Amino acid sequence: MQPHFLEIKSLAKRFPTKDGELTVFEDVSFGLERGEFVCIIGHSGCGKSTILNVLAGLDAPSDGEVLMAGKEVRGPALERGIVFQNYSLFPWLSALNNVIFGVAARWPGWSKTRVREHSLRYLHMVGLKDGAEQRKPSQLSGGMRQRVAIARAFAIEPKLLLLDEPFGALDALTRGTIQDELLKICAETHQTVFMITHDVDEAILLADRILLMTNGPQARIAESVRVSIDRPRERGSIVHDPGYYPIRTHLVDFLVSRSHELSGSANSGAPGSGHQGPPRIVDPAQAARGASNAKDKASSNAIAQATSHTAGHSTSNANSATGYRAAESGSLLRAVNL
Amino acid sequence: MLKSDTWRAVLVSVSLLVIFLGLWQLSTPAPQAEEALSEYELLMGGADQEARVPSPSEIIGLAIRELSNPFYDAGPNDKGIGIQLAWSLYRVLTGFGLAALIALPLGFLIGMSPMMYKALNPFIQVLKPISPLAWMPLALFIIKDSETSSIFVIFICSIWPMLINTAFGVAGVRKDWVNVARTHELGPMQTAFQVILPAAAPTILTGMRISIGIAWLVIVAAEMLVGGTGIGYYVWNEWNNLDLTSVIFSILMIGIVGMLLDLALASATRLVTYQE
Ligand SMILES: Nc1ncnc2c1ncn2[C@@H]1O[C@H](COP(=O)(O)OP(=O)(O)OP(=O)(O)O)[C@@H](O)[C@H]1O
Ligand SMILES: [Mg+2]
């Protein structure tokens, strides 16, 4: 098997506390391919930011290793761009100078004008223009600040882009527009992205794959959910895709019930009793399609809504092809009936 | 609204000043006529021999005379107010500058390394509350030069606020910003100058502002002790001459120069202040 572009091998992070050690997560293994957009979803405090910091090289893992293009990640580097959970722009620099800061660090040999032009191009790409680029972050709206942070990360053209809940603090409308821009930019640049989010719909819209993380402590990545919905995707029309609701239901069900059931702490007493190795691969959309085909060859998109509701029952037939296991179908049904 | 408030404030200030000066003027009797002086008084050099609080008009008269020729030099005991102030400013700025040269890098070190903070904290805590003038005898003995000693006293009193504020500001720089520097592969020097310095600059400059205020307070006392030149010496000298008009005039000048120093640092602080 060919190694992944980004390879995470049995990663663990423990923090020392007053009463012993706190294992935030352990046994985390997964891979990312070049050009792939992967989201990770999990409850607050399960350790998503901690994983991202390890991937970035800002934090050392307690166990395991991270390989990027075959090389071990030791310490932060310019080939991994980051957008932090809370912007982290420099408030004493204008929006443009914040981007220039990154570009000048990435290409120290470039002339001033070249750095400036390159930075401006990326600022325009995220829709910051008409004088806004000269303003300080405190004079920008939350959405504009996040655009600047995204522009700074994209402008250094990293091999891997790490996004920590980049839209968490934004209202739904702004979030939507920036998601669209991110989709567009990623389609143009084939950027490899690893993104943390709380928003199930955002994950489906953007990701090729969604990693599901169980609750902490001793969190792990339980499943890797394929989003088999064709690109280009659009916010307006993606919900009409027959694969959309099966995926969404699967994710919501995970967050509502299984994230707790599968968590390491729930299976405590017997370490290792939980899932080991790489996460299970799940493809709810494919499963739903397979199911509807099996039931009725003439089924059309018109009844997609209905099939998604029956998907829970029928996936057990289709699972061999899709990797969707019988064990999940019962709980999926529960979520569907919520 | 705001503008009319400002005008009202100016009006109140001015009327307070006028009332104060008016009362002062009325309560001080006019100097006696020249003929009334006795032979003895003439011998002793004038009516002012009997110390008397001067009236504002006399002080204003002196101020006009002094400020129209501030840099005259008529021997060691008779120099213009400008020369005296310049000496004091020179000592304050030299001591302050030397203190900054040491306090800023050391503060960076302490702020960045919790270990160094713990190691140096006991020394700082003990040395900080010592009145700078308490160092004077020791300084005079070791340095054997009154000029350098007073600069040393300024140095020692202005170092603490700068050191502590720099350490505090550097330690308080948001971790996210340092992480941004790290992910952009900035070296230690680049991180210090491009990220930590601008982030901590408002706090550092506040420390410098406190320092220069203290230094200006201390220089007057130091110059009274060591004598020779400077505004502190001038005040003391005029007191010995029982020339209260000059004493009050120089007190005013000390206030005005101190205010200007503070204003300069305040506007520098405003330049580097950012809004989060
Ligand atoms: N330096 C630390 N020392 C001790 N515990 C820590 C430290 N950093 C993080 N933790 C713990 O690790 C857990 C995971 O934190 P993390 O910030 O990764 O969560 P998260 O999944 O990103 O949450 P959110 O979605 O709210 O951002 C939390 O329980 C937190 O208390
Ligand atoms: Mg987080």
Side-chain angles (χ1 to χ4, degrees), chain A residues 58 77-78 86 89 91-92 138, chain B residues 176-177 182 184-185 194 198 275:
Chain A
L58 289 169
L78 276 162
N86 36 18
L89 296 172
W92 56 89
S138 60
Chain B
D176 286 341
W177 296 337
R182 290 177 64 201
H184 286 84
E185 293 183 20
Q194 288 186 31
Q275 209 174 356

Side-chain angles (χ1 to χ4, degrees), chain A residues 48-50 85 164-165 196:
Chain A
K48 304 179 297 293
S49 296
T50 312
Q85 200 159 356
D164 190 350
E165 272 183 71
I196 297 175

Side-chain angles (χ1 to χ4, degrees), chain A residues 287-304:
Chain A
R289 261 176 227 133
S292 60
N293 285 347
K295 258 180 103 176
D296 182 4
K297 297 254 188 254
S299 71
S300 66
N301 283 357
I303 55 163

Side-chain angles (χ1 to χ4, degrees), chain B residues 2-237:
Chain B
L2 258 175
K3 210 168 175 187
S4 74
D5 250 12
T6 314
W7 280 115
R8 247 175 272 166
V10 169
L11 198 69
V12 172
S13 295
V14 169
S15 27
L16 277 177
L17 183 69
V18 167
I19 292 170
F20 174 70
L21 291 181
L23 286 177
W24 182 0
Q25 179 78 41
L26 288 178
S27 63
T28 45
Q32 286 152 334
E34 201 73 21
E35 306 90 70
L37 291 179
S38 69
E39 196 129 323
Y40 174 73
E41 278 172 332
L42 278 171
L43 248 173
M44 290 308 288
D48 284 343
Q49 193 57 38
E50 193 185 340
R52 184 181 59 81
V53 175
S55 66
S57 55
E58 289 172 81
I59 296 169
I60 292 169
L62 177 75
I64 293 172
R65 246 178 296 130
E66 282 285 348
L67 292 179
S68 55
N69 184 15
F71 294 106
Y72 75 88
D73 189 351
N77 276 329
D78 191 11
K79 290 185 173 50
I81 186 90
I83 290 185
Q84 306 289 17
L85 282 172
W87 271 108
S88 298
L89 273 176
Y90 154 74
R91 288 177 192 131
V92 161
L93 293 181
T94 312
F96 176 82
L98 289 173
L101 277 183
I102 297 206
L104 299 188
L106 198 62
F108 253 77
L109 189 69
I110 296 175
M112 295 227 249
S113 148
M115 191 278 287
M116 286 307 284
Y117 174 80
K118 279 199 195 119
L120 293 179
N121 196 38
F123 298 106
I124 297 176
Q125 293 306 330
V126 172
L127 293 176
K128 189 177 60 150
I130 298 174
S131 162
L133 292 171
W135 292 98
M136 190 57 103
L138 196 62
L140 284 171
F141 177 74
I142 293 176
I143 303 172
K144 294 193 171 60
D145 174 50
S146 64
E147 181 63 44
T148 323
S149 294
S150 45
I151 291 177
F152 171 77
V153 165
I154 295 304
F155 166 84
I156 205 83
C157 77
S158 45
I159 199 166
W160 307 116
M162 275 195 269
L163 183 66
I164 290 165
N165 265 46
T166 306
F168 186 73
V170 168
V173 172
R174 263 177 53 189
K175 201 154 173 270
D176 286 341
W177 296 337
V178 180
N179 278 345
V180 170
R182 290 177 64 201
T183 55
H184 286 84
E185 293 183 20
L186 258 55
M189 275 317 200
Q190 279 175 307
T191 309
F193 281 105
Q194 288 186 31
V195 179
I196 295 179
L197 186 62
T203 323
I204 295 175
L205 270 162
T206 306
M208 296 176 94
R209 192 174 163 192
I210 298 171
S211 280
I212 202 122
I214 294 178
W216 190 244
L217 290 180
V218 167
I219 192 64
V220 176
E223 285 169 347
M224 282 181 178
L225 271 180
V226 298
T229 45
I231 190 72
Y233 164 74
Y234 180 80
V235 173
W236 202 248
N237 196 32

Side-chain angles (χ1 to χ4, degrees), chain A residues 13-17 22-25 42-53 59 85 164-165 196-198 213 216-217, chain B residues 175:
Chain A
K13 182 77 195 176
R14 301 185 183 91
F15 288 112
T17 55
L22 171 75
T23 302
V24 179
F25 57 82
H43 282 275
S44 182
C46 70
K48 304 179 297 293
S49 296
T50 312
I51 289 192
L52 189 118
N53 281 345
D59 221 346
Q85 200 159 356
D164 190 350
E165 272 183 71
I196 297 175
T197 175
H198 271 133
M213 202 163 171
Chain B
K175 201 154 173 270

